[in-house]
Amino acid sequence: MALAKALTDLEGNTEQHHAVHERGHCVVLAGPGSGKTKTLTTAMARTLMEDVVEPRGVACITYNNECAMELETRLAKLGITSSDRSFIGTVHSFALTQVITPYARCIPGLLPSDFRIATRDECRVAVEDAYGTVFDDVDDPHRRWRFAVHKRLTEVDRNLPYWRERNPDLADFIEAYEAELRSKGLIDFDDMPLIAFRMIKEHSWIRDALRARFPVLFVDEYQDLGYALHELVLLLCFDGGVRLFAVGDVDQSIYGFAGANPALLQSLTDQDGVEVIRLRFNYRSGTQIIRASMGALGEERDYHGIDNTIDGEITYWPVQGNLDQQAQHIAEIVLPTLLNRSFQPEQIAILYRTAPRFGDKIAGALECTDTAFVRADSKALVRRSSRLARFIEACASWVTGGWREADPPYRRLLTQALNIVYGRRASEEEERALSHQLIVFLRSSIGVGESTHTWLQRFLHELIETWRVIAHNTHQEWEVCSEMIERTDPAHDLDMPLSMFSGRTEHTGRVTLSTLHSAKGREFDAVILFGINNGDLPSWHDNQSSQSMREARRLFYVGVTRARRELCLVYREGHQSPWLAELYQRSQQS
C-alpha cells in the first residue's frame, strides 16, 4: 500500500513517473530539490516488487554511508527492509562484500584468505618503503604519493598503454606500494574497487554470478563516484547484461579531489540504449533563490519552482573586516535577525568552505554570544559517513523514547548491528547471541538518566569491546565510539543529555555549522553563506586551472541551493566574490 501511494504521488510529475516505470537502462539527471531520492527509492521498491523474482534482488551503490542509511530508511517506509535480496552501500563496500570476499578465494594467488584492511599507519609505512625501493633520493615520499593517488584513482585499467606511458615512475611507485601491502596480507581502501574491477574484467563467470544475484543495479549521486565505479558500470551493465538505473547531477560534482569527474555521468548519457530523463522541477527553494542559483553556477538551466512556491528571499551582508569580523557579524547581527523573524534555530545552517579556517571562527563567535550549535563538519560529534556512529545515534534514540513507538524499530537496530559485526549473513546462533547482548544493553539504558558521555562509555565497554573480538567485518571504524567519548568530555564542558544527543529533545535550538561539501544533500529554511570573499571563493588554488574553477563554482551552487526560504550572503565589503554580482543579476530577472 505504501508503494502504491508513492507511485500515485508521482503521477503529477511526468518525468518522475516515467523514470520509476522505466524497464531499460535509465539515467535520471536531477537538479537540486527535484525529488531525486524519492524517485530512486520508489523505483527500487517497484523493481523489487514487480520486476525481480525472489531470491534475486537489486544492488544500489551510493557515495557514502550516510546516503546509504538515508535510502534504507526511506525504503523501509515503502515496505522494503534490508535483506539478502538487496545491497545498499558504497562502491568500496560493494567491491569488498559482493566481489572480493566471496570470489577472491577462487582466484589462485590473488589475495591470502585472511587478508585485512591496512591501518593508516600501515599505509604510511608502505608508502615510505615503496618510495625507497623506486626512487633514489631523499624527497618527501608522501608529497609524491599525492600525485600517485590521483593516477591510481583515475587510471583504472592497467592493461591499457597509458598506465605505463603516463608517468612511468608513478606507476612503479604504485605497484611497489601495493606489493608492500600484499607481502603483509593487506589491502587498502582504494584497492577495493580496483581489485573488484580487475576480477570482473578478467573473469566473466564473476559477471554472470553478479547478474544472477542482482539483475538491476541502481547508482545514486553518479557524478561523485569516480572512475572505478564508472568502469564497473560499463562492465556489469553494458557488457554483462545488468540493467542500470543511475541518478546524478553534473552541476553538483564537487569531489574532484577524490577522483570524481562529472564528464563520466555525461558520457553515460551517450551510451546506446540509455533512456535519459531530466527532473526539471525544484520542490525545495523559493523562485528567487532558484533564479539566483543560475548566477552562482554561471550557466542557465531549465529548472522551475512549483506553482505554490514562495518567492524566497536573498539578503546581502557586507562586513568591514576579515573572517573574524564576518563571523562576529553573523553571531551578533545576521543570526538574531533570522531568529527574530521566527526561523527556528534547527532550521538554520551556516555554511563555509573548510572546517579549520572558517568553522572554528564561526564556532568561537557563536560561543561568545552563548548561541547553541551543532557541527556537521570534520569536528562533528557524529561522523555522518560512519555506519557505526549513526548506529550509536540510533540506539540513543531508541532508549530515549523510540522504544515506545518503534522508532527506530528494534529489528532495524539488530540488522545494523549484524552488518557492523559480521558484514555478511549471520548464522542463527550468531544472531541470537548478538540480539541478546544488544537488547540487554538497550533495556538497561531506559529511564536511567545517564549523560551522553557516561552512556557512550558503557556502550564502548559492554558492546564495542566485545564486538571487536568476534567481528568478521574486515573494514570497520571501531575507533569512532572512542572519538565520541572524547568529544563529550565533561571536563571540557562538552557533555549533554542523552535525549539531546539522540535528537529526541524537541526544539533543541541548535544552529547547524557545516562545510559546503558536508551540506550536500541537505536543506534548511535559512542558509547563511560565510566567507563569500574574493580569495576564498574562488581561492588562489581555484584560479590554477579551468577545471578547479568550474568545481569551485559548483561548490558555490551547492551552497546556494541548500536554502528553502532565505539565503544570507556574508562577505568582506569591497572584496566580495565576483560571483555575487552574477547571482544578484540573475535573482532580479523575472
Side-chain angles (χ1 to χ4, degrees), residues 354-533:
T354 60
R357 183 156 184 255
F358 297 87
D360 290 351
K361 290 184 184 298
I362 189 62
L366 293 176
E367 286 172 351
C368 289
T369 57
D370 292 324
T371 303
F373 61 87
V374 57
R375 295 187 69 159
D377 54 20
S378 60
K379 295 191 176 182
L381 171 57
V382 177
R383 197 192 299 177
R384 311 304 296 180
S385 62
S386 167
R387 278 186 176 270
L388 180 56
R390 295 292 295 274
F391 169 71
I392 294 172
E393 189 179 37
C395 287
S397 180
W398 194 89
V399 303
T400 54
W403 57 273
R404 292 189 184 93
E405 59 265 26
D407 182 24
Y410 173 73
R411 182 66 209 180
R412 187 187 304 168
L413 293 179
L414 177 59
T415 299
Q416 291 174 351
L418 291 168
N419 287 334
I420 287 167
V421 176
Y422 296 110
R424 56 164 173 78
R425 183 175 178 83
S427 68
E428 289 185 9
E429 183 179 350
E430 289 171 335
E431 180 174 337
R432 187 163 51 248
L434 196 72
S435 179
H436 175 74
Q437 188 181 25
L438 178 61
I439 197 64
V440 166
F441 173 80
L442 294 176
R443 285 176 174 168
S444 72
S445 302
I446 296 174
V448 178
E450 292 172 301
S451 72
T452 299
H453 185 76
T454 302
W455 182 81
L456 287 171
Q457 287 180 314
R458 278 208 310 119
F459 199 105
L460 176 66
H461 297 313
E462 296 181 27
L463 295 181
I464 298 297
E465 289 176 355
T466 302
W467 290 356
R468 291 187 72 158
V469 175
I470 65 173
H472 287 223
N473 193 336
T474 54
H475 183 66
Q476 188 54 253
E477 297 169 314
W478 296 110
E479 72 280 2
V480 298
C481 188
S482 298
E483 289 177 4
M484 294 163 76
I485 291 171
E486 183 179 344
R487 293 180 181 184
T488 56
D489 188 350
H492 296 94
D493 198 26
L494 298 174
D495 204 0
M496 65 184 77
L498 190 59
S499 59
M500 180 177 287
F501 166 71
S502 70
R504 282 280 165 189
T505 301
E506 294 295 327
H507 306 297
T508 53
R510 295 186 293 169
V511 175
T512 297
L513 309 186
S514 174
T515 62
L516 291 163
H517 284 95
S518 296
K520 187 168 176 291
R522 304 187 70 183
E523 57 185 57
F524 303 88
D525 284 345
V527 167
I528 302 170
L529 293 187
F530 166 40
I532 310 304
N533 311 306

Side-chain angles (χ1 to χ4, degrees), residues 10 23 101 242 260 386 403 463 587:
L10 295 183
R23 285 177 165 80
T101 299
V242 174
S386 167
W403 57 273
L463 295 181
S587 68

Side-chain angles (χ1 to χ4, degrees), residues 68-243:
M69 289 180 279
E70 170 67 14
L71 292 178
E72 288 171 355
T73 300
R74 293 207 186 194
L75 283 168
K77 294 177 180 178
L78 295 176
I80 304 296
T81 56
S82 299
S83 70
D84 283 349
R85 289 194 68 206
S86 61
F87 166 88
I88 303 174
T90 65
V91 64
H92 299 86
S93 177
F94 179 82
L96 181 64
T97 64
Q98 308 301 316
V99 183
I100 298 173
T101 299
Y103 303 125
R105 71 190 72 179
C106 304
I107 304 173
L110 180 64
L111 291 172
S113 59
D114 59 346
F115 78 90
R116 64 176 177 84
I117 312 302
T119 65
R120 186 176 302 175
D121 288 341
E122 287 170 330
C123 290
R124 288 183 63 85
V125 170
V127 167
E128 292 162 3
D129 290 345
Y131 189 87
T133 301
V134 175
F135 300 104
D136 185 22
D137 60 46
V138 291
D139 195 7
D140 178 7
H142 300 287
R143 183 190 67 81
R144 190 170 293 190
W145 181 247
R146 288 195 289 269
F147 296 97
V149 167
H150 183 265
K151 180 178 178 69
R152 194 175 179 218
L153 290 175
T154 57
E155 298 178 13
V156 177
D157 192 343
R158 298 182 185 178
N159 292 321
L160 298 178
Y162 60 64
W163 173 251
R164 288 245 155 252
E165 291 173 356
R166 301 176 189 168
N167 297 305
D169 288 349
L170 289 183
D172 291 338
F173 190 10
I174 293 166
E175 290 171 357
Y177 163 79
E178 292 173 349
E180 289 288 341
L181 291 183
R182 300 298 182 273
S183 69
K184 299 177 179 65
L186 303 172
I187 67 174
D188 73 1
F189 193 67
D190 290 335
D191 263 322
M192 298 176 193
L194 298 175
I195 293 172
F197 167 76
R198 289 195 286 272
M199 290 172 63
I200 294 170
K201 184 175 179 63
E202 295 169 9
H203 302 280
S204 60
W205 59 269
I206 297 179
R207 255 176 282 170
D208 295 339
L210 289 170
R211 184 181 69 248
R213 185 175 184 189
F214 302 124
V216 185
L217 173 65
F218 292 83
V219 183
D220 188 23
E221 303 287 8
Y222 196 97
Q223 76 284 346
D224 292 333
L225 288 160
Y227 289 83
L229 180 278
H230 185 65
E231 295 294 338
L232 283 172
V233 165
L234 295 180
L235 278 174
L236 290 173
C237 300
F238 297 97
D239 293 340
V242 174
R243 191 174 99 200

